[in-house]
Every structure is written in structure tokens, then in C-alpha cells.
Amino acid sequence: MKMAFITRLSLLNLLLLGALALVSVKGESPYKFYTWTVTYGVISPLGVPQQVILINGQFPGPKLEVVTNDNIILNLINKLDQPFLLTWNGIKQRKNSWQDGVLGTNCPIPPNSNFTYKFQTKDQIGTYNYFPSTAFHKAAGGFGAINIYARPRIPIPYPLPVADFTLLIGDWFKTNHKTLQERLDSGGVLPSPDGMLINGQTQTTFTGDQGKTYMLRISNVGLSSSFNFRIQGHTMQVVEVEGSHVLQNNYQSLDVHVGQSLSALVTLNQPSKDYYIVASSRYTTSKLSVTGLLRYSNSGVPASGDLPSPPLEDLDWSLNQARSFRWNLTANAARPNPQGSFHYGTITPTKSFVFSSSAPLINGKQRYAVNGVSYVNSETPLKLADHLNIPGVFSTNAIQNVPSSSPAIVATSVVQAALHDFLEVVFQNNEEAMQSWHLDGYDFWVVGFGSGQWTPEQRPLYNLVDALTRHTTQVYPKSWTTILVSLDNQGMWNMRSAIWERQYLGQQFYLKVWDPVQSLANEYNPPDNLLRCGKAIGRRL
């Protein structure tokens, strides 16, 4: 009798453990809930009172610190006097371009209204940021950090740092964002920025313990300027670039271009005192800089000596550093399998594009264009129009696969590609200015940099072994950059200049990645709370 009882008890325990295992296998990833309110406020980042955009009263906005695969439910309340959206720079929005937060996918949130974003940090780790995508709001703030940490059981290829220091660095204007927008709308160009900020300030201090190692999460959240970052007396070991674990090289200084992010380890291995931190603009007419302090917690000695000098204003120096960022083939990223298990270099592209930027005058006004086409926003989001079969909203034949010698035109342009296409994209820069290109919904392999005009004969120069993946790449003046993209994420995705004046005046388009068979395995349905505007008003999803 006793034995039978024990047997029944053991069976019950086994069933209970099995049920718990089933729940753990089928259970969803954690949900994290936020409510953010967007308002104006008056502060003095550069010593002059000016109107900025605050989120929950903060400038920069709140930090999103999440884990791989977390589900984010974020209610955004707009208390501005203009429609507003946030976009999540580098978050792939797997199968879910409905949450991308740009005007081609979402109606802006009207004043005194709200919208709840629902998205997942699916299979991602790394350093990212968010910012406003509407009007010229990015010049007023509203930006903040997104730090995605690996799941506890997923190894990382470096010792766990004691803590993180987040550095949101960028150029800044004293002029009101509406005045800057009016200047662009009237056909003008922006003046040079007035200064640079680190975390919204001109003087920031980061404090750590001697002998300990810290993670620097650095993002360029500016409008137009590349910068070089350095710390007096310390080297930095780059370990991650926009979700890619990289070969762990040490650097005295780092070039970070507009829209880019990276993570670097710094060990406080010097005598106990304060040390200067400097970020200074690169490849710009006016030279700007901002300083901060790295303070040892047991320091009683102020920083002294000269500020650390930047490298020479030499494109070859920056180009060589860019080429030194290479994929760590044996390390995993968000998933346990090694990054190098995907042999991108063995795949033959199914389509090739050469996208050349230009700065034409159209109807007497300054515009920026891609292959002679300058993008204009539609009142109806392209994604909504495509889903609801609303005609006349965008054009799929305006941008050609290669540059055109025809006069520049304006159009709401979409480039079409099939799900699972593998693209070769060349960004050609025939101008004297540094360019920076970003693609929503994806990261891509940056396989080649070169000077002059790209030709097919330069393909043997590509790195087809260990190029890193990232979401934003620089294109040097009078040069080209080639990327490879595996189109595994269906949706409508913005490809744009990260130089915000150029984006605003037309250097962008949308990439429609589609499959004729509708399936939830490829793309989610539109959310029930999706806002309607333009020609979508009154239509059912």
C-alpha cells in the first residue's frame, strides 16, 4: 500500500514537472510596460534658453534597458502642438513594420492623443537609440538610449563589465526646430551646428572604481556631424557594433558617424585621478567639441594636462579603422549559434542596386535625391496604402537600379524586392561631404569601401568572410560603400540618409519586401489600435 502511494506520488510529480516544462517551452518572453508623455520644456544645453522636447520631463529621454526577446508595450502620449512619432533606430521589428514609427509605416500621433507601440527585441543584443521621425523634431531632442542585454544563459565573448556608461553624443543647434524646418522648407540649407552635447550636456562625469572594467555604450544621435571619441590615458576595446560581436581590438580613439552605435570596454587601470573625455567633430567645416570626465571613485586629483588630440583629419585613417571592425565568427550574438555559421559570402546576390546621392535644385529649392529621385512624404502611410490596396499613394518605378542622367524629380518612391532575395547595394557618393546610410528592419554586411566610382571590377575587393553586420554605414566623400542584405523580414522599410537635413529634403525611399502568399509566418497583421490618416481614414483593416 505504501509502495503504491509512493508510485502515485512519483507519477504526480513527473506529470507536474512535465506540465511546468511545457509551460516554460511554450511561455512567452517577458512583457515590459511603459507610459511616456512627450512635452516641450525650456532648458539651456549650450547656455542659451531654448525649447526642447522632453519625455517624462527628461532630456535625453528615458533609457530603455531590456533583454533579448522582451515584449515592449509603450504608451506614447503626445502633448506637443504637432503630430509626433518615435522610431526605434536599429530595432528590427521582425515581421512587424507596423511598429517602425516612421511616416511610411505609421500615421503620426495627433496632439493630445496617444498610441501604444507593441514590439519585441527579437533575437537582438547591443546598443541602440530612439528619436523622433516627424517634422524636424529630432533637432529639439526626444531621443534616448536602448540597451539590449543578452539572456542570462547566452554567453558573451568577454568578461562581464561592472556597469555600463551610456553616451548619447551629437551636434546641437541653438535655433528652434521649427525655424530650422522653415529654413529647409523655403529652399535653404542648415547652418553649421552650434556645439556638441554628451547626454544633453556640455560637461558630463562618469565615475568608476580603479581596477574595474566598464562598458561604454556610444551612439551618434546628432543631425549631421561625424565625431571622434577618446579618453585621456585610456584605450578602448570595441566588443560590439550594432548587434554584432566583433574581433576585440584596442583603440586610442573611435570615429562614430551619424546614426551609428557601438560598445567598448574601458578598464580603469591608471593612477587614481580624473581624466578628460573628448568628442570632436570630423570632416566638417566648423570644428566642434565637447568634453567630459572619467573620474576614479577614490580620486582627489582633478584632470590635468592637454586634452587628448584627435587623429589627423585623414580619410585613410578612418577608412582603415572601419575595415578593422570585423565579425567575431566564433562568438554568438543573441542566439547561441556562432555568428560565422551564416556564410554570407557564398551567396550569389539575386539583385544589385547602385544608389547614388545628389544635391539638386528642384523648382529653385535645395533638395537631395537618390538616383535622381527626391522623396516626398504622403499623407497616407505607404504600408497602410499597400495593405488596403489604395492606389496612387506611391510609385514603384521612379527609382531605377542604377543612377540616371535625367533631371531630378520628386516622387514617393518604393523599391520592390521579394522575401528571401539577397541584395547587393552600392552607395555611391560623388559629393565632397561624408554620407551616412541607414536601413530599418535589417542589419547588413558592410563588405566594401573604396574611392572614386564603383565598377563591377571592384567586387574582388569585398570582404566575403568576416564583414560585420550593422544598420548604418558611412560613405566617404568621393567614394563608395557596398553592403549585402538578406531579405528575411517582410514589410515596408525605410532606407534613408542618417544626415537629417538630407533625409528631410528627400534622400530616402522605402524598400518593400513582400511575398504574394499572405502568411502570419512572414508578417503580422496590422494591430487593432493602428491609427488611420490620409486616404486610409474610414477604411477597415
Side-chain angles (χ1 to χ4, degrees):
M1 186 71 175
K2 186 176 180 180
M3 180 65 71
F5 174 75
I6 293 174
T7 303
R8 285 196 299 270
L9 185 59
S10 300
L11 181 60
L12 285 171
N13 286 338
L14 286 171
L15 289 172
L16 179 60
L17 288 172
L20 289 174
L22 188 62
V23 169
S24 66
V25 169
K26 292 192 173 181
E28 288 188 274
S29 297
Y31 280 75
K32 295 187 176 178
F33 297 86
Y34 305 88
T35 298
W36 288 0
T37 301
V38 183
T39 61
Y40 287 125
V42 176
I43 60 174
S44 303
L46 292 177
V48 177
Q50 66 180 112
Q51 184 188 69
V52 301
I53 292 175
L54 308 175
I55 299 179
N56 288 358
Q58 300 176 45
F59 175 81
K63 193 185 302 178
L64 270 182
E65 294 195 294
V66 298
V67 174
T68 301
N69 292 348
D70 276 355
N71 292 284
I72 311 302
I73 311 297
L74 193 149
N75 181 26
L76 190 68
I77 303 168
N78 178 19
K79 291 294 184 180
L80 304 184
D81 58 351
Q82 295 178 315
F84 185 81
L85 281 173
L86 286 178
T87 190
W88 317 94
N89 199 47
I91 304 304
K92 294 181 186 177
Q93 307 289 0
R94 296 288 303 169
K95 303 189 290 186
N96 200 18
S97 61
W98 302 108
Q99 305 293 334
D100 201 29
V102 289
L103 289 173
T105 59
N106 294 88
C107 297
I109 306 166
N112 296 311
S113 187
N114 74 296
F115 175 72
T116 299
Y117 290 91
K118 301 174 184 177
F119 62 90
Q120 188 180 25
T121 54
K122 180 68 173 172
D123 294 335
Q124 289 191 261
I125 53 99
T127 298
Y128 306 94
N129 58 84
Y130 62 86
F131 60 82
S133 62
T134 38
F136 216 63
H137 292 136
K138 191 180 182 187
F143 56 81
I146 306 174
N147 298 334
I148 307 179
Y149 297 90
R151 290 168 289 178
R153 294 182 182 179
I154 302 296
I156 56 175
Y158 49 84
L160 192 66
V162 173
D164 290 356
F165 297 144
T166 296
L167 297 94
L168 302 174
I169 305 174
D171 51 23
W172 188 256
F173 290 86
K174 296 177 183 177
T175 306
N176 185 275
H177 68 99
K178 292 181 181 178
T179 303
L180 294 174
Q181 183 179 350
E182 289 169 358
R183 182 169 181 155
L184 296 177
D185 290 342
S186 65
V189 297
L190 293 186
S192 296
D194 297 300
M196 294 186 68
L197 303 175
I198 300 177
N199 293 347
Q201 303 175 63
T202 55
Q203 186 64 249
T204 308
T205 299
F206 301 92
T207 302
D209 296 332
Q210 190 175 30
K212 301 292 180 62
T213 298
Y214 295 83
M215 174 82 83
L216 305 177
R217 293 181 174 271
I218 303 170
S219 292
N220 188 332
V221 296
L223 296 180
S224 60
S225 305
S226 301
F227 65 75
N228 180 268
F229 179 84
R230 50 209 181 269
I231 304 175
Q232 183 185 34
H234 293 74
T235 59
M236 295 168 285
Q237 185 181 65
V238 176
V239 294
E240 176 265 329
V241 176
E242 295 168 18
S244 281
H245 283 139
V246 296
L247 296 180
Q248 296 170 17
N249 298 319
N250 292 311
Y251 300 89
Q252 298 286 341
S253 69
L254 294 166
D255 274 2
V256 186
H257 304 278
V258 180
Q260 293 184 342
S261 299
L262 56 81
S263 301
L265 299 177
V266 59
T267 300
L268 277 58
N269 55 7
Q270 298 299 306
S272 180
K273 55 172 286 191
D274 294 355
Y275 295 87
Y276 291 119
I277 292 172
V278 182
S280 56
S281 61
R282 296 275 274 168
Y283 318 114
T284 55
T285 304
S286 60
K287 299 305 174 186
L288 306 171
S289 65
V290 59
T291 60
L293 292 174
L294 176 61
R295 172 166 293 160
Y296 284 45
S297 59
N298 57 348
S299 166
V301 181
S304 59
D306 295 332
L307 294 176
S309 300
L312 294 175
E313 195 90 344
D314 180 2
L315 291 177
D316 286 338
W317 183 95
S318 183
L319 183 59
N320 288 333
Q321 183 176 92
R323 287 175 173 149
S324 75
F325 294 155
R326 304 174 89 92
W327 229 12
N328 186 336
L329 298 179
T330 60
N332 61 281
R335 291 182 173 184
N337 53 300
Q339 296 177 138
S341 60
F342 190 93
H343 302 287
Y344 69 93
T346 64
I347 303 172
T348 301
T350 55
K351 287 186 177 181
S352 294
F353 298 91
V354 179
F355 293 129
S356 179
S357 57
S358 59
L361 291 178
I362 300 179
N363 297 326
K365 292 184 177 183
Q366 180 65 65
R367 298 288 302 182
Y368 298 99
V370 183
N371 289 0
V373 181
S374 185
Y375 184 88
V376 288
N377 283 309
S378 167
E379 291 184 359
T380 308
L382 282 56
K383 181 62 182 167
L384 258 178
D386 190 50
H387 180 76
L388 296 172
N389 295 314
I390 301 174
V393 172
F394 58 84
S395 170
T396 58
N397 55 15
I399 290 184
Q400 303 303 307
N401 290 20
V402 294
S404 168
S405 59
S406 302
I409 61 170
V410 296
T412 305
S413 43
V414 169
V415 172
Q416 294 192 107
L419 186 65
H420 305 306
D421 269 348
F422 193 79
L423 304 187
E424 176 193 42
V425 177
V426 179
F427 297 117
Q428 180 69 52
N429 179 11
N430 296 323
E431 302 176 66
E432 299 287 350
M434 181 74 74
Q435 300 274 349
S436 191
W437 275 95
H438 171 87
L439 175 58
D440 281 350
Y442 286 93
D443 50 19
F444 44 71
W445 290 272
V446 185
V447 295
F449 298 98
S451 60
Q453 203 74 20
W454 179 87
T455 65
E457 286 69 33
Q458 287 155 320
R459 286 182 175 132
L461 301 175
Y462 292 174
N463 176 1
L464 299 180
V465 177
D466 61 355
L468 84 162
T469 61
R470 66 186 315 165
H471 57 67
T472 302
T473 185
Q474 69 272 32
V475 189
Y476 293 95
K478 298 290 185 179
S479 299
W480 55 266
T481 297
T482 297
I483 66 171
L484 299 178
V485 195
S486 179
L487 298 186
D488 61 354
N489 192 14
Q490 187 165 312
M492 188 77 73
W493 304 107
N494 191 210
M495 186 175 277
R496 62 176 177 263
S497 172
I499 312 294
W500 215 239
E501 172 184 357
R502 300 184 75 98
Q503 178 275 154
Y504 181 80
L505 290 179
Q507 191 176 318
Q508 61 168 309
F509 59 89
Y510 281 80
L511 177 65
K512 178 186 172 183
V513 180
W514 67 287
D515 189 288
V517 178
Q518 292 189 356
S519 169
L520 291 178
N522 293 336
E523 185 173 23
Y524 298 143
N525 289 327
D528 293 338
N529 67 332
L530 195 67
L531 300 176
R532 273 71 140 196
C533 55
K535 296 180 179 180
I537 292 175
R539 294 189 180 234
R540 296 182 63 183
L541 296 175

